[in-house]
Amino acid sequence: MSGTRAFKRPATQASRKTENQVEAALDFARNLYQILSSDPHDTPATDSLVEGAKKFIDVLHTSKYLPGISGDPEIDKQAVRLWNICTRLKRDHIGSTADDKRKLKRLRKLFLHGRVLAFHLLVLARAKVLEKGGRVGDVMYLLRLALKAGRDCIEEKEPGLATTLLLKAAEFKGVLQDMGGAMGRDEVAECNCLEVEYFIIRTGLSWVENRLDLAEHMYTKVERLHEFLTPDYAERLADVLFEIGRSMNAKSDFPMAIKWLERANEAINGQNLEDISKEGVELRLAILQALVTALLGTGTQDGLDRATKYVDCIESEIGRKPVVALLRLEVLQKTPAEVFDSDAYGDIIRRMIRDFNHGEAAFKLIIHHIRKLHDKSPAIGSAVLDDLIMVLTKSENESWMEKAMVTRMWMITNQRDTLDTIDAVRGVLSYLSKPLSAEAAVAAQALIWKKIEANYTLAQHDLAECWCGLALHSVFENCGPNNTSKLERNSSEAALSIVQGMSENSWKDPMTAYLAFKVAIRIDDRVLAERCLETVSSMPDHINYLGACIAESQQAGDVYCTLAALRKLQEKYEYKDPNPIHLPALFRCTVRLLNMLVEKQDAEQDRFIDELCNVFDAVVLALENRQQIPAIKNLFTVDEIEWFGRNAYNIALKHTTVWDLRHVVRMLNSSVTIIGHFPSDAGSQAQLSLRNLFSRFIISSALISLARVQDNVEKQQQDYQAMRTHVRAFDGELVDLTHLDGQTKEDLGRKHAILLTFDFEAAVALQQWDDLGPIVQRAIPCGNITAYQAMADSLLRGRVSGQALYSTMRKIINEIWVLESFDAQKLAKYTRCLFQATLPLDDKLAMRLLDEACSKARELREGDASWPEEELEWMASMAFNHGVDCFSSQETERAKEWVTKAINLSHYCNDEGGLERALQERYLRLNFDATSI
């Protein structure tokens, strides 16, 4: 089937509709193939392509043999090409380490949908093989493709697609059963194998759809065909059963997990080990591991005994591998506390230490199990950790050694306090050849301080002094002078004991709370510091104490506590009149501190980014409330307004590529709003306007990106609407910058063109049809052909009304036509696209387009250019076929008009009149005086 040929239409309206749908699907497949043939990472609008493929799959999967369509070699060719390229791209992207995992996932989804669409087109093209007399090999070929694609759909969690494929597979199975008498022995054997694979996939699909009853039924079907389970199919069956069992494990439904995992074990063990692939051997081990976990999860003695036997079995096959050690430890952990074998547990960990591969994961695993052992048997756990420390002395990884040392000290300090305990700590420290890092030293000293406090509280001053002496050991020299000073007897630890013992009445005194805050800062206790700040800030008129807390935390270098104190000041005095603090200065300090924390790559980074945005929002609120709140009316000077606007802009610009786009939008919105409060008679207006323009450009770009991936329709519309507001503001501000240099004007012109394409896309998404024409008009000064092309693409992708589509596209085409860089090829393409989109909606508008196309073709022929041959043939053929449709519907005069115009258009084809003669001959064969063709 070709878009450049006229077809004889079927007689019924339903048939015509189906043929139109098939033609549209074929055009989509061609387009998708062309896109994927280039770099797939540059694939535009991946999600919309997936949706387009879904739409045609829904249409095609119910289609059967269609006269005039089925058997068309063009459909077969395009389907095979699309299937092959999607298969190759999927294979090339397996194991890819692309930076954008979400993009890679969307690409894989596109490849899958492309293959399914190709399959349904192929079925339609080869529908004749399913009729009587078809060849067995052809039916088997289609069945294999259906099963292959269905298996991939289940792996990608696309049960809907898998269902459409398996419905076709079921049809093919039925056809093969009818052909049973004509098959040879090899063909019968292959049919049986394909039937096995069909039921395996149906079992997996039932599980994905959460229908275990149906999965059970399908599994029984597989069992009946057990004799046809080749090693390959046995592995596939075991894999499906393993996934079901593993999911039951995750839900803690252990009896059901055991049932499916044992089935998986039987399937994989039913084959000779030498016939199983490497992946199959690994799957077999994974099944046994999951089965052990499920048996232990039952919490029964029978489950424990069976799990032990399975572990023995694994060990007999693969030896004392790490995985066996872990399973042994898992079994031992489940034994009752009264019979827990600490020695056996310790021996397994020692074996792991001997086989230690000096990897981070292995180190963490060993430490984890040593802690578990210490909970059951402190003495054995400590001894095993000593063995690990001895091994680590030969390692160059200092962080492992420090973590092990801190863990060992934690074990020691949790024992009963004696002088022997302190000697044990000294013995551990002797393993170190140099001082601990600052972080490890502080962690170790924190454990020692707890012992000091406990002994001091119990008046055991001698032991407390021994612990203090130990804390002064040379390995702790990196903890800093402040920490060392705490170790003096009756110093900070004593003060902490007093603070912890204070009554509620004592806490009500702000001076007491302030002194407690000083203690909290020195021992790095943020919870206590927050409590102190809460107490101080709740007292009336005690701003001096909050200021003192800020100074104290700054002196100690504690940014977090400084910020907490600044927050209390802002909450208490933000809009108070008279205000004892200078609000802009408070905001500036907060911004500087938060900006420091934002630069740190840690788990709290997003929280601090959000807080930074909140501060600038507070600045905006204060500026907007200046007229209503006397306390802040004259607080912000011109320099301060400029400072906040500039910093909001610079911070957002610096982090545009790393922050969440919502945060970038918030910061730049604040910058734009703050600049709006800049006095109109102040200097640097041109620079401020440029900053505003760039801010609105980035905001619009961010909002369009957010809207395109937004699943929530309401939020998507809000993003589009907000983006349109910024584009209009960009338009208004651009008018006042006529004095700029040529390079800046050119850059802003490009940005303006991009924003107008965004605005056009948003108007289409929001169905604001009346705005489309004016947007095209606003784009004229830009003279940017790419912008018009993007607008045309948005228009054709959107669900636009017929009149709006026609009028807007005409404006776009006319504007493209007048640009010098435009050519006939592009004009023809857009005219054809508009004609194709308009014809089903309003054939009167489509006829006007046909007249325009004829006029343009004549105009081009009179000049040096010419209308592309294939476009002329396509439009003439489509117009002639539409005339035939009108004739079939008894619209004789309408039919004459369409047919005549089609012949007129074909006159400008450069094929020596071939198409024109063909259409004239068909016209003569039409009897317009009768009621049918």
Side-chain angles (χ1 to χ4, degrees):
M1 185 180 298
S2 172
T4 60
R5 293 181 295 172
F7 298 99
K8 181 176 177 60
R9 299 277 189 163
T12 67
Q13 185 175 358
S15 297
R16 289 197 300 275
K17 180 180 179 182
T18 301
E19 183 174 337
N20 286 335
Q21 290 171 336
V22 173
E23 289 177 2
L26 188 57
D27 284 340
F28 179 86
R30 286 195 194 96
N31 183 48
L32 181 57
Y33 175 80
Q34 292 299 327
I35 290 172
L36 295 178
S37 296
S38 57
D39 184 0
H41 284 91
D42 291 336
T43 302
T46 306
D47 293 339
S48 64
L49 288 173
V50 170
E51 289 303 315
K54 277 184 179 177
K55 180 182 73 173
F56 291 117
I57 290 168
D58 291 341
V59 171
L60 295 176
H61 90 271
T62 57
S63 301
K64 298 182 181 294
Y65 178 79
L66 296 173
I69 295 178
S70 297
D72 192 300
E74 176 69 11
I75 299 179
D76 193 290
K77 172 187 173 183
Q78 295 300 332
V80 171
R81 289 204 315 168
L82 183 57
W83 173 278
N84 289 341
I85 195 170
C86 290
T87 301
R88 178 178 61 78
L89 289 173
K90 178 209 170 192
R91 182 174 60 249
D92 293 345
H93 283 73
I94 291 177
S96 176
T97 57
D99 293 335
D100 192 341
K101 295 294 184 183
R102 288 179 298 180
K103 183 173 183 179
L104 177 59
K105 184 177 180 181
R106 291 200 296 270
L107 283 174
R108 288 177 61 85
K109 191 173 183 179
L110 177 60
F111 302 154
L112 177 65
H113 281 75
R115 291 175 73 199
V116 176
L117 174 61
F119 168 78
H120 286 299
L121 283 171
L122 197 62
V123 171
L124 189 61
R126 303 190 182 188
K128 287 184 178 180
V129 307
L130 304 178
E131 300 296 308
K132 288 184 178 179
R135 293 188 303 172
V136 174
D138 293 333
V139 182
M140 284 187 179
Y141 172 73
L142 292 175
L143 178 55
R144 279 195 297 270
L145 292 186
L147 295 177
K148 185 182 296 184
R151 189 166 63 246
D152 290 342
C153 289
I154 295 174
E155 289 178 1
E156 296 292 334
K157 299 296 185 293
E158 290 283 354
L161 284 182
T163 300
T164 68
L165 293 163
L166 292 180
L167 286 174
K168 287 293 183 185
E171 290 181 26
F172 302 154
K173 268 185 359 87
V175 172
L176 288 174
Q177 287 173 356
D178 294 340
M179 296 177 171
M183 292 187 194
R185 180 182 300 175
D186 292 341
E187 290 176 327
V188 171
E190 186 173 358
C191 280
N192 288 327
C193 288
L194 290 174
E195 188 168 12
V196 168
E197 184 171 10
Y198 169 78
F199 286 119
I200 291 173
I201 296 174
R202 285 294 306 273
T203 303
L205 177 61
S206 303
W207 162 63
V208 171
E209 293 177 332
N210 202 24
R211 298 184 60 187
L212 276 183
D213 54 338
L214 186 57
E216 184 75 36
H217 174 70
M218 292 299 169
Y219 174 70
T220 59
K221 297 273 190 182
V222 179
E223 279 195 314
R224 292 174 192 162
L225 298 167
H226 186 77
E227 60 185 294
F228 303 110
L229 271 180
T230 64
D232 183 41
Y233 287 126
E235 287 182 29
R236 294 184 190 180
L237 175 61
D239 188 37
V240 170
L241 300 177
F242 168 64
E243 291 295 340
I244 298 175
R246 188 166 64 169
S247 69
M248 295 297 106
N249 258 350
K251 296 176 182 178
S252 298
D253 188 351
F254 298 116
M256 189 64 73
I258 293 170
K259 173 183 176 181
W260 288 97
L261 289 170
E262 285 183 335
R263 287 173 170 176
N265 194 38
E266 290 172 5
I268 200 76
N269 283 326
Q271 306 296 320
N272 294 324
L273 281 178
E274 59 269 19
D275 295 332
I276 299 176
S277 67
K278 178 183 177 182
E279 291 77 13
V281 173
E282 294 173 354
L283 173 63
R284 181 171 176 270
L285 180 58
I287 291 169
L288 290 174
Q289 288 179 257
L291 189 52
V292 169
T293 300
L295 289 166
L296 293 175
T298 61
T300 63
Q301 185 60 45
D302 178 62
L304 181 62
D305 293 341
R306 291 174 63 193
T308 303
K309 290 179 181 178
Y310 275 120
V311 175
D312 291 339
C313 176
I314 296 172
E315 185 172 358
S316 67
E317 290 186 6
I318 67 173
R320 293 185 172 184
K321 296 289 180 65
V323 64
V324 176
L326 292 176
L327 290 173
R328 289 279 184 208
L329 292 175
E330 200 173 335
V331 169
L332 287 171
Q333 285 178 32
K334 294 294 182 179
T335 58
E338 59 272 13
V339 295
F340 179 78
D341 193 341
S342 301
D343 291 327
Y345 202 98
D347 288 343
I348 294 173
I349 299 175
R350 286 189 175 96
R351 191 186 313 148
M352 292 170 67
I353 292 172
R354 287 195 298 272
D355 298 334
F356 180 43
N357 63 2
H358 294 275
E360 185 69 28
F363 171 76
K364 290 181 178 178
L365 191 64
I366 292 171
I367 287 290
H368 168 76
H369 284 292
I370 288 175
R371 284 179 173 271
K372 290 278 187 184
L373 178 58
H374 183 266
D375 292 340
K376 302 276 189 177
S377 175
I380 298 177
S382 299
V384 173
L385 182 54
D386 288 341
D387 291 345
L388 176 62
I389 290 173
M390 288 297 294
V391 170
L392 292 178
T393 56
K394 302 174 184 178
S395 170
E396 295 180 358
N397 194 313
E398 295 177 3
S399 67
W400 291 348
M401 186 64 169
E402 291 182 344
K403 288 174 183 177
M405 292 296 296
V406 172
T407 302
R408 185 67 176 96
M409 291 191 67
W410 169 78
M411 291 178 177
I412 294 172
T413 53
N414 274 281
Q415 298 174 13
R416 187 170 60 86
D417 230 358
T418 64
L419 292 174
D420 291 338
T421 305
I422 298 172
D423 289 338
V425 175
R426 285 198 180 94
V428 170
L429 296 178
S430 66
Y431 288 118
L432 293 171
S433 58
K434 60 182 179 179
L436 293 169
S437 66
E439 183 181 0
V442 170
Q445 280 199 342
L447 297 169
I448 294 174
W449 294 336
K450 289 182 180 180
K451 302 299 288 185
I452 295 171
E453 292 163 10
N455 283 296
Y456 186 83
T457 302
L458 296 173
Q460 296 176 352
H461 299 299
D462 291 338
L463 281 174
E465 189 165 3
C466 288
W467 280 110
C468 286
L470 183 63
L472 293 170
H473 195 287
S474 60
V475 298
F476 301 126
E477 66 182 37
N478 288 329
C479 66
N482 287 338
N483 286 331
T484 304
S485 65
K486 298 176 190 176
L487 300 171
E488 298 177 5
R489 196 154 146 191
N490 296 326
S491 180
S492 294
E493 75 280 356
L496 178 63
S497 299
I498 294 171
V499 168
Q500 292 172 336
M502 285 192 308
S503 65
E504 286 299 319
N505 286 332
S506 299
W507 271 102
K508 292 179 180 179
D509 177 60
M511 176 58 78
T512 302
Y514 166 66
L515 293 173
F517 180 83
K518 292 182 65 173
V519 174
I521 287 292
R522 279 163 174 71
I523 64 172
D524 199 25
D525 190 336
R526 289 182 192 161
V527 176
L528 177 59
E530 286 278 353
R531 182 185 177 188
C532 297
L533 289 173
E534 189 66 36
T535 302
V536 169
S537 63
S538 64
M539 303 298 168
D541 303 319
H542 284 96
I543 186 173
N544 291 335
Y545 288 108
L546 277 174
C549 289
I550 293 172
E552 192 71 27
S553 53
Q554 281 185 314
Q555 185 178 357
D558 194 323
V559 179
Y560 301 92
C561 286
T562 306
L563 271 173
L566 287 170
R567 284 192 212 103
K568 295 299 178 185
L569 269 179
Q570 183 179 335
E571 292 168 7
K572 192 169 182 63
Y573 298 104
E574 189 168 0
Y575 300 118
K576 190 172 181 180
D577 189 15
N579 201 326
I581 65 170
H582 186 62
L583 192 60
L586 176 62
F587 286 144
R588 285 200 306 273
C589 291
T590 307
V591 167
R592 288 190 178 106
L593 291 175
L594 283 170
N595 203 25
M596 290 169 53
L597 296 178
V598 162
E599 297 298 327
K600 294 183 177 180
Q601 302 293 326
D602 57 25
E604 292 186 284
Q605 186 186 39
D606 283 345
R607 179 170 70 87
F608 292 125
I609 294 172
D610 195 62
E611 284 190 34
L612 186 59
C613 292
N614 289 339
V615 174
F616 281 100
D617 288 345
V619 173
V620 169
L621 184 62
L623 286 168
E624 292 177 344
N625 290 337
R626 283 188 298 174
Q627 300 305 318
Q628 292 78 26
I629 303 174
I632 60 174
K633 185 173 183 179
N634 300 313
L635 276 179
F636 291 84
T637 65
V638 172
D639 289 340
E640 283 166 338
I641 294 174
E642 201 278 335
W643 188 92
F644 286 110
R646 173 167 40 81
N647 275 272
Y649 175 81
N650 289 338
I651 292 170
L653 210 61
K654 180 179 179 181
H655 300 97
T656 299
T657 58
V658 292
W659 277 8
D660 182 280
L661 288 179
R662 294 285 178 197
H663 288 134
V664 175
V665 170
R666 284 184 66 188
M667 290 294 290
L668 290 176
N669 269 330
S670 296
S671 174
V672 168
T673 308
I674 292 169
I675 291 174
H677 289 276
F678 208 84
S680 58
D681 56 349
S684 303
Q685 287 295 328
Q687 290 300 318
L688 292 176
S689 294
L690 280 175
R691 190 189 301 164
N692 262 357
L693 287 168
F694 292 142
S695 296
R696 294 192 189 279
F697 178 77
I698 296 171
I699 292 171
S700 301
S701 302
L703 287 172
I704 198 79
S705 298
L706 291 167
R708 286 170 177 171
V709 299
Q710 180 61 255
D711 293 327
N712 186 304
V713 176
E714 183 178 354
K715 289 184 179 178
Q716 183 186 57
Q717 290 182 339
Q718 290 172 355
D719 287 336
Y720 273 131
Q721 196 60 57
M723 187 270 294
R724 296 205 67 199
T725 301
H726 284 285
V727 174
R728 285 193 294 271
F730 186 99
D731 285 355
E733 193 128 17
L734 195 61
V735 176
D736 298 327
L737 295 174
T738 54
H739 60 283
L740 295 174
D741 62 87
Q743 186 176 357
T744 305
K745 282 184 180 180
E746 184 179 351
D747 179 59
L748 289 174
R750 285 194 297 268
K751 287 181 168 57
H752 190 205
I754 292 171
L755 289 185
L756 288 173
T757 63
F758 293 168
D759 198 27
F760 192 95
E761 177 183 333
V764 171
L766 296 169
Q767 298 184 359
Q768 295 169 345
W769 313 133
D770 293 340
D771 291 347
L772 299 180
I775 295 173
V776 175
Q777 194 71 21
R778 282 155 53 200
I780 292 175
C782 299
N784 190 310
I785 193 170
T786 305
Y788 286 123
Q789 290 170 341
M791 291 179 187
D793 290 342
S794 295
L795 195 64
L796 293 174
R797 287 198 305 268
R799 298 177 179 177
V800 185
S801 65
Q803 183 59 49
L805 175 67
Y806 175 80
S807 61
T808 308
M809 184 60 89
R810 280 197 62 193
K811 289 180 181 178
I812 293 173
I813 292 173
N814 289 337
E815 293 305 327
I816 295 177
W817 176 254
V818 300
L819 293 176
E820 292 181 359
S821 59
F822 192 65
D823 57 26
Q825 185 77 30
K826 294 177 182 176
L827 175 63
K829 172 189 172 184
Y830 282 115
T831 304
R832 185 252 300 165
C833 290
L834 182 56
F835 179 81
Q836 186 178 9
T838 308
L839 184 60
L841 302 175
D842 190 335
D843 73 340
K844 292 181 180 178
L845 296 177
M847 184 174 288
R848 289 172 61 182
L849 276 170
L850 197 64
D851 289 336
E852 290 180 14
C854 194
S855 175
K856 293 289 186 185
R858 181 172 59 254
E859 181 182 341
L860 287 169
R861 173 171 283 190
E862 291 171 358
D864 296 329
S866 64
W867 194 281
E869 185 75 12
E870 64 273 17
E871 299 289 355
L872 277 176
E873 289 183 0
W874 188 91
M875 287 191 69
S877 299
M878 287 293 291
F880 191 95
N881 285 339
H882 187 69
V884 174
D885 289 343
C886 293
F887 186 73
S888 300
S889 302
Q890 307 301 317
E891 296 177 67
T892 306
E893 293 303 317
R894 193 72 176 156
K896 285 182 179 179
E897 190 174 8
W898 273 100
V899 170
T900 302
K901 290 181 182 293
I903 294 173
N904 290 341
L905 184 61
S906 68
H907 174 71
Y908 298 100
C909 292
N910 295 322
D911 61 346
E912 298 180 354
L915 179 62
E916 184 179 9
R917 284 195 300 273
L919 294 182
Q920 286 174 342
E921 289 172 3
R922 290 194 62 191
Y923 175 85
L924 293 175
R925 290 200 298 270
L926 297 174
N927 183 4
F928 282 93
D929 296 325
T931 58
S932 62
I933 299 175

